[in-house]
Every structure is written in structure tokens, then in C-alpha cells.
Amino acid sequence: MNRTTLSLIAGATALAAVTGFAAVTSPDTSVPDTTATAAELPVERTSLTCPTPSVSDLAETTYTSFTPVTKGTGSDGKAELRPAVTESTDGEDAKDGKDGKTGKASGKGDKDGKGEKEAKAFLTAKEPGKPLAEDVSGSDSPALVGTADGKFAPGWTVQQTTEVAAGTGRGLLGAACTAPDTDFWFPGASTAADRTDYVHLVNPDDSAAVVDIELYGRDGALETTTGEGITVAPHSDDPVLLSTLTTEKLDNVTVHVSVRSGRVGASVQALDDKLGGDWLGASVDPAGSLVIPGIPKDATAVRLIAFAPGDADADLKVRLASPTGQITPAGNETLHLKAGMTGAVDLGDVMRGEPGSLVLTPTGRSVPVVAAVRVVRGKGAGQETAFIPATRPVGTRATVVDNRAKGTTLSLTAPFGAAEVKVTASAGSEGGTPATKSFTIKAGTTQQVEAPVPSGLKGTYALTVESVSGGEVHGARTITDAQDGVSAFTVQTLPDDRGTVAVPKADQDLSVLQQ
């Protein structure tokens, strides 16, 4: 035998040993099917970060954890949230978790990432399909970092909802805990005198992260003093006060968080002296068309804030998807954004008693942009604020938790084509039986649907929205809670939970070894 023949036999023998083939058959001389196929399999591990909820002694915070039941998972797994250390902007430790329910953020919370033991788990999920809630009071609640694996990983969702009775930012503040990443855009922040806005940077890992914060106003990039090279210690939350980064006082600012090394979870806490406050989540990645879903029907003021991160100006059509179709806000048919400059437009009382969603599309050439809206409800001293960023579609499945028997509203919009969705209400955190409803959303409309509620509900519950057919659907959930005359509310969007991943299918084919 020559060397080529020996090499082919050796290669075939080795491959057969790996793949478990017992015999090699003669090759199939027909034309092979080269079409790539993939199987959708559940993810096996998910990480989330939750920022420090409040510095107010009057704060009451509820954390709710939930994983929807997913086919194809094993029987094992766990989901836990643990306290992180909170750092002040000058680098000194501002707050640790306390012993007991919140645990003590020792060990991995130290600046060098070394310690004797890991912080005690604050919340450990019991079973998929049923939410688990935990309450904390006051200003000592730390940031949390968590990991879910096995059957708890696909679609793992955690919500923190905080009620603050008085003071700056009083009202209802809600945030879906975020997956760590390396790039975030926040149009809608502010450095104005009546605003106190923090960027929370939560590092879930064992090594330090290095982060840059850039600010953009109406005239472009703002000169910042300490926004570059911020070191976020392992397993810690570093809240950075925006007004300490620049001397300029601006109502509308876009914040860009980029990570040089490591990864962080990032979110903006926007607190107003008179209009309450809420969490501002990151906008979806820059795109030519954006959807901002679920603006409440009783909004008294709506402000659109947008930013074009690239080198090209953007011109956008502004449409409001109402229950009857898309309409153009009077006097605000289009929005021109200069490259690198934050643009804002006050739409006023644009809702007129009907729920809606903003749909932004290019008038001509598509230029990537990011966007969010600030929504105000109530009048006079009873006003309250929430923020809604542009978001991804529901996709295969999306979940939102901490829904209540009263005060929960679900809005769904199909901006470009009619769609059918299935909405499932989970069991309650303290009891109840799941319920399911299906809805058809007409093209170009926003529908405030009558979402199912678990029968015999006790506690709070999760809502899971699944796409069945048709075009893309975007969604948002609003929680309202009247507090001493204040129209307290918070809004969370429903982006695809990315609970599955496409894994290519591979066939064993030894014919490639034969000529």
C-alpha cells in the first residue's frame, strides 16, 4: 500500500472510533443534500444582574424570579441570586449586603476578587412554572447577581419592583434584571438640576471589568471628567452619578456604556424631584426601524428621545400604532437626527385615551438609531414618570413577572403585519392554577388585551407571550398603583427571552475519506 492509502485507512479508523461506527459501508454515489439544518435546543446557562434598588429608607422592594416550563430540558438545575457589594463613585465601599435574608457580600465582593466564602444566596428558585417572590425594606438592599442552569436557565426572568413613599424619585420603580453584556445605549437620561440619574454597573464575574461612559447632548458629545476607564470590582455594583461626569445641565442626554474588558449589567435610575422616577432600560441595538410598545392610554405627556450613533444623519417617520391603526402625531410627522446628537420631541397628550406604540421607520436611507420615550401620568403634585425603550420583538417567547390581580395591563402591537399570539398566566407565587388565552393582533395596531389571570390566584404571577403565526409582535406590561394621590406606575417591555439556541445538525459521513 502507498502512503496515501495508509493515511486514509488510519483516518477512517480514528473517525469510526470517535463516532461509534461499527462498520463502514460503501459510499452513496447520489448527490448529497447540502442544506444546513439546525435544532432549537434550550440554553443551559443564564446570568442576570439586578442593580441596587434604592437608597431611600422608605423603599419597599419585591424581587420575583420565574422560569417558564421548557420542553427538552433535563430534570436538574438551579437558579440563585446572591448579593453584590455596592461601590460609591469615589471607589469606596458604600454598602454591603446584610446578614440574614440579603446575605453578606463578602469574599467575591472584595476589590481583589478574593475571599474566604461566597455570599449567602438571597433567593433560590424552587421549580419552573411557578414564580418565587422575596421582599426587602429600606436602603440596605444590595445589588444582586445570579445564575440559572439546567431546567431553570431557558427564559429565566427576574423583576425588581420598588415602592418609594416620598422624596426624590417617589412612586413605583420597576426593572427587569438584565443579562451582562459589553455595549448599552440609554436615550432619555438627564443631567438637569431637578434630575438625579445614576448609571448602575453590575459586574457578575470573578475579575474586574473596565468600562467607559460617554454622554451625548443636543450638540454632540459632552466633555466628561471621569467617564473613561471606570473599574468595576468583581461581584459588585458601581452606581455612577451622571451629574458628576459633566458640568453641563441638559434635559435630554444619551448615555453610551461600553466595556473594554469583562462584562457588566447596566441600567439607568432616573429620579426627578417632582415627577417621581423609574428605571430606564437599554434601547435595543441601533437599527433603522424601531418599535416602542405599550404607552399607557392615560399618559398626560409623552417625550420621544432618539440618537443616531454613526456618522450619518437619520430621518425618521413617526407613527403611533393605535387600536384602530397607525396615525401620524399632529405636527410631528418626521424626526430629523443629526449624527452624534441627541434629539427629542414632546408629543404631549398624544394618546387621547387610547393605548398605543410608537413606530419609527426611515423616510429614505436606513440609518441605525436608538430611542426611548419618557411617559408622565397624573396631574400637578400627583404626576409620576416611567420610561419605555425601543425593544426587540416577542419572538418565540417573552416573559414578564410580578403581575398583580389588580393594576396589571398588557399591550401588544403588530407594527408591520397581523399576528396571532398565545398568552399564558403562570400559577401564582402563593397559589393558583395557570390559564391561557390566544389573541389576534391586526396589522399596524396596538391592543390592550385582557390577559388571563390564574384561577384561585394568591400572590403575583408571570405572563408569558408566545408567537403563533404572522408578523412580529412587540409587547409591554404596565403596573399601576395609586399611592396617596400619586399616579404611580412602571412599564417593562417583553423582548424575546432567547431561551433556545440553534444547534446545527450533523450527519456522520465517511465518504469524504474516499476518492
Side-chain angles (χ1 to χ4, degrees):
M1 294 185 184
N2 59 30
R3 291 180 180 271
T4 301
T5 304
L6 289 172
S7 297
L8 290 173
I9 292 175
T13 303
L15 186 58
V18 173
T19 60
F21 267 72
V24 179
T25 60
S26 59
D28 184 357
T29 57
S30 61
V31 177
D33 182 4
T34 59
T35 303
T37 59
E40 290 289 333
L41 299 180
V43 298
E44 297 180 352
R45 186 178 177 86
T46 301
S47 296
L48 291 176
T49 64
C50 309
T52 304
S54 179
V55 296
S56 172
D57 291 333
L58 302 176
E60 300 286 339
T61 300
T62 298
Y63 292 94
T64 309
S65 170
F66 176 78
T67 297
V69 176
T70 304
K71 293 181 180 180
T73 61
S75 58
D76 298 329
K78 65 179 180 179
E80 290 184 337
L81 289 167
R82 296 179 181 274
V85 169
T86 300
E87 305 282 336
S88 66
T89 52
D90 61 4
E92 297 297 326
D93 286 355
K95 189 191 308 177
D96 288 341
K98 301 297 182 181
D99 292 329
K101 284 189 176 181
T102 59
K104 181 174 177 57
S106 59
K108 291 188 177 181
D110 297 337
K111 285 181 177 291
D112 59 5
K114 299 177 181 178
E116 296 181 357
K117 61 180 180 179
E118 193 173 46
K120 180 181 178 182
F122 165 76
L123 187 152
T124 302
K126 302 298 183 183
E127 58 181 301
K130 182 178 180 179
L132 179 66
E134 189 73 56
D135 298 329
V136 292
S137 299
S139 60
D140 290 333
S141 306
L144 301 175
V145 296
T147 301
D149 57 28
K151 64 181 180 180
F152 289 97
W156 186 40
T157 303
V158 178
Q159 163 93 6
Q160 64 176 51
T161 308
T162 303
E163 296 184 17
V164 179
T168 298
R170 56 93 180 99
L172 197 63
L173 295 82
C177 298
T178 59
D181 206 337
T182 58
D183 197 70
F184 304 85
W185 291 95
F186 300 96
S190 176
T191 59
D194 56 358
R195 282 274 289 271
T196 305
D197 286 18
Y198 290 89
V199 179
H200 283 255
L201 307 171
V202 185
N203 179 3
D205 297 325
D206 295 337
S207 58
V210 180
V211 179
D212 293 334
I213 299 177
E214 300 168 315
L215 306 180
Y216 297 89
R218 62 195 175 199
D219 296 321
L222 305 182
E223 183 177 350
T224 59
T225 54
T226 58
E228 295 185 357
I230 298 172
T231 299
V232 185
H235 298 268
S236 71
D237 176 19
D238 190 357
V240 180
L241 182 60
L242 291 186
S243 60
T244 64
L245 301 182
T246 181
T247 58
E248 296 194 49
K249 303 297 182 183
L250 297 175
D251 288 331
N252 306 299
V253 172
T254 298
V255 179
H256 182 212
V257 174
S258 58
V259 183
R260 296 188 194 180
S261 63
R263 57 180 190 158
V264 299
S267 50
V268 172
Q269 190 177 45
L271 308 176
D272 193 283
D273 290 344
K274 297 180 180 179
L275 299 178
D278 208 345
W279 290 95
L280 168 60
S283 171
V284 69
D285 291 341
S289 297
L290 299 175
V291 179
I292 304 173
I295 303 173
K297 64 182 180 180
D298 58 352
T300 54
V302 177
R303 175 181 295 173
L304 170 64
I305 308 99
F307 179 78
D311 298 327
D313 293 358
D315 288 287
L316 301 171
K317 295 179 183 178
V318 180
R319 298 292 184 269
L320 179 67
S322 73
T324 56
Q326 292 194 9
I327 59 176
T328 300
N332 294 293
E333 295 84 1
T334 60
L335 175 64
H336 177 72
L337 296 175
K338 293 184 177 180
M341 301 180 187
T342 297
V345 57
D346 284 315
L347 302 177
D349 184 15
V350 69
M351 308 314 296
R352 301 189 182 281
E354 292 185 332
S357 305
L358 283 182
V359 180
L360 308 179
T361 55
T363 60
R365 184 179 61 155
S366 180
V367 175
V369 297
V370 293
V373 296
R374 188 193 74 170
V375 179
V376 177
R377 292 177 67 244
K379 297 180 180 180
Q383 290 180 303
E384 229 270 82
T385 302
F387 297 87
I388 310 174
T391 187
R392 298 193 306 272
V394 166
T396 302
R397 181 184 65 185
T399 298
V400 64
V401 295
D402 196 18
N403 301 288
R404 293 94 185 271
K406 296 181 179 180
T408 293
T409 301
L410 177 64
S411 291
L412 301 173
T413 184
F416 309 117
E420 183 181 355
V421 298
K422 181 175 73 172
V423 181
T424 301
S426 73
S429 56
E430 300 174 17
T433 304
T436 300
K437 286 184 179 181
S438 293
F439 300 94
T440 298
I441 313 300
K442 294 181 180 179
T445 70
T446 295
Q447 304 297 327
Q448 183 174 302
V449 302
E450 187 177 345
V453 177
S455 60
L457 172 64
K458 294 182 180 179
T460 62
Y461 63 99
L463 283 172
T464 297
V465 181
E466 299 174 83
S467 294
V468 176
S469 63
E472 66 181 46
V473 174
H474 297 251
R477 184 276 316 272
T478 300
I479 302 174
T480 57
D481 184 14
Q483 299 177 353
D484 296 329
V486 175
S487 300
F489 75 116
T490 183
V491 183
Q492 281 74 53
T493 58
L494 286 95
D496 188 296
D497 65 19
R498 295 177 175 172
T500 60
V501 61
V503 178
K505 292 182 180 179
D507 292 328
Q508 299 157 341
D509 184 5
L510 299 183
S511 65
V512 296
L513 299 176
Q514 302 184 18
Q515 300 293 334

